[in-house]
Amino acid sequence: MTKTNPGNFFEDFRVGQIIRHATPRTVTEGDRAAYGSLYPTRFAVPSSAEFAASVGLAPAPVEDLVAFHIAFGKTVPDVSLNAVANLGYAECRFHRPVVPGDTIATQSEVIGLKQNSNGRTGVVYVRSTATNQRDEVVLDWARWVMVHKRDPEAPAPETVVPELAAAVEAEDLVIPEGLDFTTYDFEAAGEPHRFDDYEVGEKIDHVDGVTLTDPEHMLATRLWQNTAKVHFNTEARPDGSRLVYGGHVISLARALSFNGLANAQLIAAINAGAHVAPALAGDTVYAWSEVLDKAETSAPGVGALRLRLVATKGRDESMTLRGDDAKYAAGVLLDLDIWALVPR
């Protein structure tokens, strides 16, 4: 019997299956530094311990997406090692900020299965929960991924497609304990724009772009211990290219959104997300946002903006998401729907 892990194929999953993912990972200040070297992030809360303390967060948390990448990476060997593509996210809530010294572990439950008509692949739906060393939930989310079958002749399982909410309700957002924006330093944060300066339907072109390189996105997959073969092994795809990890594009888009949304300091939820098209080294990523909704919160001085964050290959000054045929416009790489916390 082989001692190596070939990863799970579609027929290895069953609805209700619980998977406890290996290798809990401790977050360090090195993760903060590495994240900043990979992505042009400038948000004040994870950048400045003094700023974080001034809004009630001490010790200073790392970027929300550091926790997401680490927790997501834990699931890859068991859920998506044999994936064709990660298809989407839903119902992701950030329950508490992660600080250096926290150890993150992840567990998943299979909540749906659907074999594709070609008989060679299927879609696996999982709900994953990440906890810290005190067994407190850090974040949880649902995602669905297309996975190869080991044997195309293996019988299809009963189709189960879970019902997932289109968005996390504003009243269900978890606000970090102690967060207080009443004495928020707009000058230190980098922009004067607050909750009331944004209107539903407003679009913001974030202007700046970042060109993808193989070394950077491969470093990211290793940093987050994401072992999906298509990200670093040129033999995993017929064309010999390495697909850029979708989370790498998410973090680039989030970092680029600073220009126009510098005060969207914390991500409270990811309502939905779709990796619309593959990204490869040499592509230049731009981003734009649309304000979808606004909500008050119970925290002093804190409001919530629901934002569509779109990453594109090449800059689209028209900020077009879909064409007249309702299909995504050419160049769209990522369509991400998030709630972010901003000063009122």
Side-chain angles (χ1 to χ4, degrees), residues 100-118:
D102 282 348
T103 297
I104 297 174
T106 310
Q107 178 173 288
S108 296
E109 178 183 2
V110 179
I111 58 174
L113 294 169
K114 182 180 183 297
Q115 181 167 301
N116 291 328
S117 58
N118 62 19

Side-chain angles (χ1 to χ4, degrees), residues 26 31 53 80 82 87 99 119 122 130 174 185 223 251 256 275 286 296 309 334 336:
T26 301
D31 290 300
S80 51
N82 296 305
L87 299 177
V99 301
V174 181
D185 187 340
L223 178 65
S251 277
L256 291 170
H275 295 289
Y286 290 81
E296 298 181 358
L309 176 59
L334 171 74
L336 195 69

Side-chain angles (χ1 to χ4, degrees), residues 27-41 46-47 61-63 66 100 219 223-224:
V27 178
T28 71
E29 284 293 350
D31 290 300
R32 192 194 308 273
Y35 191 95
S37 71
L38 287 168
Y39 313 110
T41 183
S47 296
V62 296
E63 294 264 359
V66 168
L219 177 61
L223 178 65
W224 314 126

Side-chain angles (χ1 to χ4, degrees), residues 210-219 244 248 252 280-283:
V210 173
T211 301
L212 295 168
T213 69
D214 270 333
E216 286 175 329
H217 81 80
M218 291 172 66
L219 177 61
V244 173
H248 190 68
L252 279 178
L280 302 171
D283 293 346

Side-chain angles (χ1 to χ4, degrees), residues 10-242:
F10 179 70
E11 58 264 47
D12 296 323
F13 295 97
R14 55 182 174 79
V15 173
Q17 178 181 2
I18 302 295
I19 306 170
R20 185 183 176 198
H21 304 293
T23 323
R25 187 171 174 305
T26 301
V27 178
T28 71
E29 284 293 350
D31 290 300
R32 192 194 308 273
Y35 191 95
S37 71
L38 287 168
Y39 313 110
T41 183
R42 290 181 284 161
F43 293 99
V45 165
S47 296
S48 166
E50 287 203 9
F51 190 97
S54 76
V55 297
L57 300 180
V62 296
E63 294 264 359
D64 306 292
L65 290 174
V66 168
F68 177 80
H69 291 315
I70 290 174
F72 181 96
K74 300 294 97 186
T75 71
V76 170
D78 300 309
V79 175
S80 51
L81 191 64
N82 296 305
V84 180
N86 188 60
L87 299 177
Y89 312 93
E91 299 181 1
C92 175
R93 289 195 305 164
F94 292 79
H95 290 256
R96 51 183 37 82
V98 170
V99 301
D102 282 348
T103 297
I104 297 174
T106 310
Q107 178 173 288
S108 296
E109 178 183 2
V110 179
I111 58 174
L113 294 169
K114 182 180 183 297
Q115 181 167 301
N116 291 328
S117 58
N118 62 19
R120 297 189 299 273
T121 59
V123 179
V124 180
Y125 299 81
V126 298
R127 185 177 300 281
S128 301
T129 303
T131 53
N132 63 21
Q133 68 276 16
R134 294 178 294 277
D135 289 327
E136 299 166 332
V137 175
V138 172
L139 70 155
D140 58 0
W141 74 98
R143 73 160 170 142
W144 49 105
V145 57
M146 188 187 303
V147 179
H148 287 291
K149 290 184 70 175
R150 178 188 293 105
D151 177 9
E153 302 303 318
E158 178 185 357
T159 296
V160 176
V161 177
E163 290 188 14
L164 298 171
V168 176
E169 297 295 333
E171 57 266 28
D172 293 330
L173 298 176
V174 181
I175 309 301
E177 184 178 352
L179 186 66
D180 184 342
F181 281 166
T182 54
T183 58
Y184 189 92
D185 187 340
F186 288 89
E187 188 173 48
E191 284 183 354
H193 316 305
R194 61 177 73 216
F195 181 81
D196 288 336
D197 294 323
Y198 294 94
E199 299 293 336
V200 173
E202 177 182 0
K203 291 184 177 181
I204 304 160
D205 181 356
H206 298 302
V207 180
D208 306 309
V210 173
T211 301
L212 295 168
T213 69
D214 270 333
E216 286 175 329
H217 81 80
M218 291 172 66
L219 177 61
T221 62
R222 294 182 184 124
L223 178 65
W224 314 126
Q225 297 177 329
N226 183 328
T227 57
K229 302 168 189 174
V230 294
H231 299 323
F232 57 83
N233 185 345
T234 58
E235 297 179 355
R237 285 169 47 84
D239 64 1
S241 64
R242 304 175 183 91

